[in-house]
Amino acid sequence: ETQPPLFVINVHLQATRRSIDENAQTRFSQVQSLIKRANLAWSRMREKHCPDDACDWAALQEPSLLIMGDFNLSPREALYSLLSKGKWPEDSKHQLPSKVSVLSASSLP
């Protein structure tokens, strides 16, 4: 049986001398971008190996992601919870950067 692919992603999320809220917004956008890029890579891989959707393995499996690097995050940040636990904290509406809507935040896994 064919195993799903493993995507290894190395990041260095931005940390600047801007406000905490601006840094959080930037890091959120960077994580959102990397997830979109991983999804695009997976779509391209499926198209290349199964152009006519005849392959069951591509439809039934999801790739694994190993995301590592310098996240410049504090354990108190909502994005830290998402990346370490796979879900937003219960009180994430209060922890999300001001420019991040709850709708866009829910677009991440």
Side-chain angles (χ1 to χ4, degrees):
E1 179 176 315
T2 305
Q3 295 295 316
L6 169 66
F7 289 101
V8 179
I9 302 168
N10 185 29
V11 300
H12 187 165
L13 300 184
Q14 187 172 8
T16 64
R17 295 182 185 189
R18 293 186 271 166
S19 73
I20 292 171
D21 194 54
E22 287 175 315
N23 280 334
Q25 168 62 39
T26 298
R27 288 190 295 270
F28 174 84
S29 296
Q30 290 172 321
V31 169
Q32 194 172 36
S33 176
L34 80 86
I35 290 173
K36 285 179 183 177
R37 294 174 99 181
N39 282 331
L40 179 61
W42 177 231
S43 294
R44 287 180 176 164
M45 185 181 287
R46 284 193 319 250
E47 288 171 7
K48 179 180 178 182
H49 296 287
C50 298
D52 59 359
D53 290 330
C55 299
D56 289 339
W57 71 268
L60 299 176
Q61 299 183 44
E62 292 293 325
S64 297
L65 296 177
L66 173 60
I67 305 172
M68 60 187 166
D70 184 352
F71 295 92
N72 285 308
L73 290 172
S74 160
R76 295 182 307 274
E77 293 182 59
L79 189 56
Y80 179 92
S81 179
L82 173 70
L83 293 172
S84 63
K85 298 175 184 171
K87 64 180 183 174
W88 290 102
E90 295 299 322
D91 61 347
S92 64
K93 290 181 186 177
H94 306 291
Q95 294 183 20
L96 293 175
S98 60
K99 293 181 182 177
V100 175
S101 69
V102 175
L103 180 60
S104 68
S106 66
S107 69
L108 295 179

